Amino acid sequence: MAQWEKLRQLDNLYLKQVDELYDKDAFPMDVRHYLASWIEGQDWERAGREHDFAMVLFQSLLENLDIQHSRFVQEGESFLLQHNIRRFKQNFQQYQENPYTLANIILWFLRKEKSILQNAELAEQVQLLQVQQDPMETDSQRNLERRMAELKNKVQVRFSAEVCSYRSFNCSLEFMLSGIGALLDMAEELLCVLVREELVHWQRRQQKACIGAPDNTCLDQLEKWFTTEAECLFQVRKFLKKLEELMGKVSYERDPVKSQKPALLKRVDSLLTSLLKSAFVVETQPSMPQGKGPLVLRTNVQFSVKTRFLVKFPELNHAMKVNVSINRYRLFNVLGTKTKALNMAESMSGGMVADFRHLVKRWIGCYVTEELHLIHFDTEFVLHDMTVSLETSSLPVVIISNSSQQQSAWASVLWFNMLCTESRNLIFFANSPVATWPQLREMLSWQFLSSTKRGLDTKQLEMIAFKLFGLQQNYDACTVSWSKFNKENVPKTHFTFWVWFDGILVMVKAHLENLWRDGSIMGFVSKGKEKALLKKKKRGTFLIRFSESIKDGGITFSWVDYSPTGEPDIRTVQPFTKVDLAQIPFHEIIRNFQILEAGNVPENPLLFLYPDTPKQEAFGKYYSEKSGVDSPYFKYIKTKLIVVSKENILEAKSPVYSDVTDVEGLETMNHMEVLSEEAAGESQRLPVKPPIRAVLLFSHQTAVLQSVSHMTPTDTRCMVIAVNCTSVAGLCSFSYNGMFEPTASLWSYQTLFPKLPLICH
């Protein structure tokens, strides 16, 4: 079944998410619906990388819109549908020069749809996004619910009948007024619980949800409580106003109403004012449609934000106008619709919301990724001769000017919302507190949980703690500063901890999500731990881990073999990067990986995924239907250089920061094997003895290069490398000791022979 059809059959909860996804104008739902089959059949990921292919799909999209318009005309569909299709086509013309931008937009929407589907399919089994409330919190809320119902019942019983005449209750007037005082005492206690506990807890849950926590941020229950208390207080206020009218008609000396009513009315108004001011909140924090996360905004790019008023009175529908502004004294302007009415139509639950969907920030000053800004909202409540000015603001946002700043800006958002509960603390980074390891590990796990639906387990977190703090008996007392998290480079690297961690997360989300979710990737495991795990396993057992030395994310695998004497031999391949994984899925690399053994027979050494799962059982469900030379990935596989190292060469290096890409310590070629497969079965092993020098010959003429590269030097330890000067990629060929490799890259020789003297001609 097509992805779009699956989405249309989901429950209302997930249909709401689809509706919110297509709220924006970036990609209309109408186009997605009518061209669903064609859209899902295209390779948008390739189009996002290749301009020419993107242009082909762009033109095809416009043609399909024309066909759909003609179909509407022939079938007599409404004029509105015909008009919309023409308008959508016209809007898409803006991507004429950059069609890959549109391709990336469509790809982003398809991935979001897939995420919604996965959430729906896994909801009953995994329930990752459902909140397991603490029993004490549940009891507290049940108690609040009971007391709120009690307050409502008392108010209804006491004031349900209209005040017929002053003398009907003259004899018990003091008793009634004292009863009102008791009701207000109860209302004040409930208000304190609502505002100082429940609302504060919700605000903290929202903060954590913004940085990936699976916390419940639904406002329906809070709205019910706020509305109930407001109704009760307005009913008391109405009764006191009626007493004031009757007091003008009938009064006597020592009238308790005359002496007590003003204080009671003032108290009611004070409670109502406090309740109403607290009821105006930001339900959905500011976010861009394709941002890394909420609270990171880019200048001149649309963003959306939603406010909500938790006192739900039908007579207020469309009556309260909400205005938006940003940091009144800072150099930013908000463009777009700056005023919207609170209404019930824009909320699936019928709440009073104002959904600002097309706001844009225009930058007219300076910025940094540690500078925080607030988006302010104000409105006015007017009902029953009572007027209250209401204000609220978003959580602090970070404003960037280009996408390269997203990673650093998102780190600032994570750090602030992990540690700070004062939402208006805009100078937080002037003296940022440290994070404890329990706080940090929870936040790091949330990043994987929210992106891939699988968080980090205890062992993976222990490896990260070891990377940050070294070996400790207990990491709970360890702390991390903001500088160590996002400013200082990890030792022996040129990047920070956050850049390394986020690079892995992006790689997993883009290329490895299914393998990560089903537990095939061990991921965060040190080389020392890797060796300890594998050396006890049977031959061919392998595990998959993340590289510790690649900035933008790398993944590798190691397996165990045994020498004739029975000694375990741990081997590791050079890590694969996002560039590699964009060419070929990782499961296909696992499937087709080969090394040369005795007799030059290619063999796949990967047999069992750790601890003992047969490879076919672990990865078979992901394989393409074709394999070998018929595989769509074979062309890439046969030209891929794979470096294989023995574990004992690198074990002396730091298990925290060393990686197989650091091959400088390799002494002899018998510690390495390199495959450059030109065709199946034609792979050759490099000789055991390495060359002692190389002669580089540069030429623009291919024929010269071909002839020279076949030269056999008198010194059999000399390698001849012919370099094609017209190749941007530095393509070359080499001749060595009777062997010939026609097409390779110059960088590969520098990697394999870092200390090899080069003689240039």
Side-chain angles (χ1 to χ4, degrees), residues 500-514:
W500 169 76
F501 183 87
D502 188 59
I504 291 174
L505 179 60
V506 171
M507 176 185 66
V508 171
K509 178 62 179 175
H511 305 291
L512 303 165
E513 185 172 356
N514 289 333

Side-chain angles (χ1 to χ4, degrees), residues 33 39 110 321 323 343 364 453 555 606 651 678 749:
H33 175 74
I39 288 172
L110 291 175
K321 305 295 183 182
N323 304 307
N343 64 89
I364 52 178
K453 309 302 176 289
I555 189 167
L606 311 179
E651 64 183 1
E678 283 302 309
Y749 299 104

Side-chain angles (χ1 to χ4, degrees), residues 695-699 701-702 704-710 719-725 730-735 740-744 746 749:
V695 179
L696 293 181
L697 302 114
F698 297 88
S699 176
Q701 301 180 21
T702 305
V704 173
L705 293 170
Q706 291 176 344
S707 62
V708 172
S709 63
H710 286 279
M719 174 182 288
V720 178
I721 303 176
V723 181
N724 187 346
C725 298
L731 293 180
C732 58
S733 58
F734 76 86
S735 177
F740 174 65
E741 172 64 50
T743 304
L746 186 57
Y749 299 104

